[in-house]
Amino acid sequence: MSRIQEAFQNKKAFIAFLTAGDPDFDSSVAYFKAAARAGADLIEIGIPFSDPIAEGPVIQEANIRALSNGMTLERVFELVTELRKEIQLPLVFLTYLNPVFHYGPDRFFARCKETGVDGIIIPDMPFEEKGEINDVAKKYGVDIISLIAPTSEARIRDIAKEATGFIYVVSSLGVTGVRSEIKTDLASILASIRETTDLPAAIGFGISTPEQAEKMGRIADGVIVGSAMVRIIAQYGTEAEQPLYEYVKSMKEATARAEA
Amino acid sequence: MKGRYGEFGGQYIPETLMNEIHRLEEAYEFYKNDPEFNRELDTLLREYAGRPSLLYYAEKMTKDLGGAKIYLKREDLNHTGSHKINNVLGQVLLAKKMGKTRVIAETGAGQHGVATATGAALLGMECEIFMGEEDTIRQALNVYRMELLGAKVHPVKSGTRTLKDAVNEAMREWTNRVDDTLYVLGSVMGPHPFPMMVRDFQSVISKEAREQILEKEGKLPSAVIACVGGGSNSMGAFYNFINDKDVKLIGCEAAGRGIDTEQHAATIAKGEVGIFHGMKSLFCQDKDGQIAPVYSISAGLDYPGIGPEHAYLNEIGRAQYVPITDDEAVDAFEYIARTEGIICAIESAHAVAYAMKIAGTMSKDDIIIICLSGRGDKDVAAIARYRGVDLYE
């Protein structure tokens, strides 16, 4: 069983996202480790990009903090290597396609395998353009995590049929960011997914409170939180380890309540 | 392959937009062959935008430069003052046919924003424009112009606060509200079908120019020259000449302070293959694949990428792309004003600058067509400041 499958085994997974190198390399390593200690089941590592078109302002700024403190793709792999000394959890990249393409897909996925990256989420690579990296990702055993959106309609089955790892269900229209209310009919999206595949599905975009985590956990197999985590770094800078730990702990507990 | 120009093109956009982009593709494929749609568009182009635009023989320039005969394709005389209206009327009419009630757009210099605001006012659509904060300062008059036309202008404060960031923000807004909204992209870029659709709407430039030059001179030009940012006026000016193998197609990129400096926007000269803003094409980027900050005196050419069909025409050698610096463009801006009495856009002045370089080396039997993509009223204050005159709008 893969590390990603294990993360969803007999439990609702809490998935924690942070941007690599935010606000600097050493703090970032400590923050990912704190999230793991606090009970995250899967860690999503954002590769900073100059123009993250699927992100709202909170994560856009995390990208800028990381890049302006010298984060590069090589340093991201170094960060993964650091984390792997301590963390056995699945690690999944979130990246835009250009950094992968520019680094060279073969070289990129070879490095993923070597450093211990289990999956990759690419928000600007829809199903139809998977050909860019599909074969090479498979060659190195890295799962491509597919996204399904509120507007996917009939595409849900096509995407789910070929999905690997887990399915990332986008809760709302628009970009990443904290939302007070999620209006999409997620239950029917989840039902379509489950008719097509046995892969676990996790909901992300807009989730920040324990109440939302519990509610989403009841619909899906996992809950993904990004902007609310990153916002803690924006507020506490290099002093964010403890507040992040406590936040992840409370969110993991809330997600676990959905198992009942 | 659909939506591809060699390896370039494609549809690299978030899943949220995929069904919508497919609906747009289908709608465009239907309406481009619909006689009623084409009649309406043709009427708008003639009665409202003022087409056909003139092909003007620039006699004084020709004599002064002492070589090839120079013609100007006067897109600056269109309603709203640039070629942008050709594409906007097509897309806004299409949006209306699709049942949309709202259009959004990015703008650099403001030409596309003004054209979109105009089309939206005419056809009764809600309109929001995204413009880099830096550009709202450089082109303050155009911001007010868009507001007069009833559009809401959002200054974009992220990244380099220029055209690239305006595109990012317009794309984000589109994912936020797709049902009633069409993103009216202003150039031959972005995900398919935009590069094809914008090219088709702009190809009226070369369709007219080809007929006009045959009528006036009885032969085809030796060269067609146009400026290139994303590449819409140049694609429009080149398109109907592509099969005329003896007609040289020359795109002029913004070299800013020089392509040996960090401050330029010369994508063909300095860019590498990448995937961004929905397309595979050439982009100015750093060693890590981060999109590079670019620079040009011209807000309309200040973009780190180029349309995929241009990348392809460059690769197969059918078109040639040359860098033109700020200095050369400003000199050309002043030259054509003095010589022909035409104040053209600083974007178009990049094309004029290259014609000035080569006309004298060509024979009197040669003909050059320059696409004068826009008028320069919007640039007067910026050019004054460039020359050290303390002038603000």
Side-chain angles (χ1 to χ4, degrees):
Chain A
M1 186 180 290
S2 77
R3 278 193 288 238
I4 290 178
Q5 284 171 310
E6 269 172 38
F8 291 90
Q9 204 60 28
N10 303 318
K11 61 179 181 283
K12 300 284 184 179
F14 178 73
I15 300 171
F17 168 91
L18 291 172
T19 300
D22 175 28
D24 60 61
F25 187 90
D26 292 340
S27 305
S28 186
V29 169
Y31 296 169
F32 280 113
K33 287 180 177 173
R37 276 201 312 278
D41 298 297
L42 191 152
I43 301 280
E44 197 183 321
I45 301 169
I47 297 178
F49 184 52
S50 54
D51 296 84
I53 58 152
E55 312 300 344
V58 171
I59 297 179
Q60 284 177 42
E61 277 160 30
N63 281 277
I64 293 168
R65 284 195 295 271
L67 289 173
S68 57
N69 281 324
M71 207 57 194
T72 60
L73 203 41
E74 278 308 330
R75 294 284 279 163
V76 174
F77 284 118
E78 284 168 31
L79 182 138
V80 172
T81 305
E82 265 321 295
L83 296 183
R84 272 285 171 240
K85 289 177 185 167
E86 203 172 287
I87 298 177
Q88 294 312 310
L89 297 175
L91 301 177
V92 167
F93 274 151
L94 180 134
T95 180
Y96 289 82
L97 197 44
N98 200 50
V100 178
F101 183 78
H102 195 265
Y103 194 81
D106 195 274
R107 184 171 161 231
F108 181 89
F109 285 101
R111 290 285 279 149
C112 285
K113 184 181 180 178
E114 181 190 320
T115 56
V117 176
D118 302 284
I120 187 165
I121 305 166
I122 307 182
D124 60 349
M125 188 188 73
F127 178 73
E128 287 82 348
E129 303 290 5
K130 249 185 357 180
E132 287 294 343
I133 59 162
N134 210 25
D135 292 349
V136 65
K138 197 174 272 176
K139 173 175 157 194
Y140 292 105
V142 178
D143 286 332
I144 299 175
I145 314 296
S146 303
L147 294 123
I148 283 175
T151 51
S152 293
E153 301 164 15
R155 296 169 54 80
I156 294 177
R157 285 159 201 278
D158 297 333
I159 295 169
K161 207 157 45 186
E162 290 189 24
T164 51
F166 70 94
I167 290 175
Y168 189 131
V169 179
V170 176
S171 78
S172 312
L173 294 175
V175 292
T176 57
V178 172
R179 286 169 172 81
S180 55
E181 204 185 350
I182 292 167
K183 294 177 190 157
T184 309
D185 180 7
L186 292 164
S188 65
I189 292 177
L190 266 293
S192 297
I193 293 171
R194 284 177 177 143
E195 279 168 27
T196 316
T197 177
D198 294 331
L199 286 183
I203 300 178
F205 275 45
I207 301 167
S208 65
T209 66
E211 294 71 32
Q212 286 173 319
E214 186 179 339
K215 195 175 162 197
M216 292 300 136
R218 290 192 190 282
I219 306 171
D221 306 303
V223 172
I224 308 164
V225 174
S227 294
M229 304 264 303
V230 169
R231 209 164 50 171
I232 293 172
I233 299 180
Q235 186 182 347
Y236 292 95
T238 54
E239 310 289 324
E241 186 172 340
Q242 193 58 27
L244 269 175
Y245 175 85
E246 282 160 22
Y247 177 73
V248 172
K249 198 160 177 292
S250 71
M251 292 297 279
K252 169 61 191 171
E253 285 165 7
T255 309
R257 281 199 290 277
E259 291 160 15
Chain B
M1 202 158 62
K2 186 192 75 173
R4 291 278 174 176
Y5 309 89
E7 71 167 309
F8 304 112
Q11 292 178 317
Y12 302 87
I13 50 171
E15 171 59 22
T16 303
L17 292 173
M18 285 306 290
N19 264 323
E20 186 60 23
I21 208 93
H22 288 158
R23 275 192 279 271
L24 177 63
E25 255 181 273
E26 282 166 28
Y28 179 62
E29 290 297 337
F30 175 79
Y31 285 110
K32 79 173 181 190
N33 298 312
D34 178 42
E36 176 64 21
F37 178 84
N38 284 301
R39 242 190 328 270
E40 282 178 57
L41 179 57
D42 188 57
T43 304
L44 286 172
L45 289 172
R46 275 186 297 108
E47 307 290 328
Y48 187 70
R51 301 209 72 88
S53 70
L54 299 173
L55 185 71
Y56 166 73
Y57 171 43
E59 192 176 355
K60 286 184 68 194
M61 248 180 103
T62 300
K63 283 191 177 138
D64 185 59
L65 296 172
K69 222 169 162 179
I70 295 174
Y71 280 86
L72 306 174
K73 182 60 175 161
R74 298 290 307 273
E75 295 297 306
D76 59 316
L77 295 178
N78 296 339
H79 179 46
T80 75
S82 79
H83 70 292
K84 293 292 186 187
I85 194 77
N86 305 332
N87 166 48
V88 161
L89 289 174
Q91 281 199 53
V92 178
L93 190 61
L94 181 65
K96 187 130 184 147
K97 300 276 181 197
M98 290 175 74
K100 304 289 180 189
T101 55
R102 176 177 178 255
V103 291
I104 57 173
E106 85 294 344
T107 196
Q111 289 175 321
H112 178 58
V114 167
T116 306
T118 300
L122 179 71
L123 297 174
M125 310 277 266
E126 203 184 321
C127 178
E128 294 184 35
I129 303 293
F130 294 84
M131 186 171 188
E133 192 183 40
E134 175 76 23
D135 294 335
T136 63
I137 298 164
R138 284 197 280 195
Q139 303 285 351
L141 205 58
N142 269 342
V143 174
Y144 195 71
R145 206 168 265 147
M146 289 182 265
E147 288 168 351
L148 274 178
L149 292 159
K152 184 167 169 32
V153 180
H154 301 275
V156 175
K157 295 176 171 33
S158 56
T160 51
R161 303 175 184 205
T162 58
L163 182 52
K164 161 191 81 119
D165 310 283
V167 176
N168 291 345
E169 217 48 47
M171 281 187 143
R172 288 179 183 127
E173 175 55 25
W174 204 23
T175 61
N176 195 38
R177 196 169 151 187
V178 287
D179 272 4
D180 64 349
T181 301
L182 177 67
Y183 177 12
V184 176
L185 242 162
S187 194
V188 286
M189 47 157 288
H192 176 71
F194 285 108
M196 174 184 78
M197 185 166 71
V198 178
R199 175 203 70 200
D200 290 350
F201 288 139
Q202 291 295 358
S203 66
V204 66
I205 300 173
S206 50
K207 182 171 174 287
E208 288 173 4
R210 197 172 182 283
E211 287 166 6
Q212 288 164 323
I213 201 71
L214 285 175
E215 192 182 279
K216 284 175 195 282
E217 295 283 347
K219 62 177 181 181
L220 292 171
S222 312
V224 177
I225 306 180
C227 65
V228 186
S232 72
N233 93 83
S234 46
M235 205 60 234
F238 292 173
Y239 189 63
N240 288 290
F241 291 108
I242 289 177
N243 291 329
D244 301 317
K245 299 296 177 207
D246 293 334
V247 179
K248 274 191 196 152
L249 307 174
I250 305 170
C252 303
E253 301 193 293
R257 300 203 164 93
I259 54 169
D260 299 326
T261 73
E262 301 271 287
Q263 293 178 301
H264 64 77
T267 311
I268 295 269
K270 305 292 277 191
E272 294 171 81
V273 180
I275 297 169
F276 182 52
H277 279 168
M279 57 183 172
K280 185 183 280 186
S281 190
L282 295 166
F283 297 95
C284 295
Q285 50 188 312
D286 74 7
K287 60 176 178 37
D288 260 359
Q290 306 289 346
I291 304 305
V294 290
Y295 162 81
S296 163
I297 187 174
S298 147
L301 303 182
D302 200 352
Y303 181 71
I306 188 165
E309 197 167 3
H310 281 296
Y312 177 67
L313 290 177
N314 175 62
E315 190 178 78
I316 62 170
R318 178 62 191 94
Q320 169 197 356
Y321 297 83
V322 296
I324 297 293
T325 64
D326 282 1
D327 279 341
E328 291 168 331
V330 171
D331 285 347
F333 179 92
E334 293 171 341
Y335 173 82
I336 192 170
R338 278 195 316 270
T339 316
E340 292 290 345
I342 296 170
I343 295 177
C344 74
I346 189 64
E347 288 78 22
S348 323
H350 286 70
V352 176
Y354 193 68
M356 288 164 64
K357 284 189 188 182
I358 62 166
T361 69
M362 295 164 77
S363 106
K364 288 187 174 10
D365 295 330
D366 287 319
I367 298 166
I368 293 175
I369 296 178
I370 305 172
C371 185
L372 220 59
S373 57
R375 69 174 178 230
D377 311 46
K378 65 181 180 60
D379 299 309
V380 171
I383 301 296
R385 291 197 293 276
Y386 190 82
R387 291 299 190 207
V389 180
D390 193 18
L391 180 69
Y392 284 85
E393 289 161 344

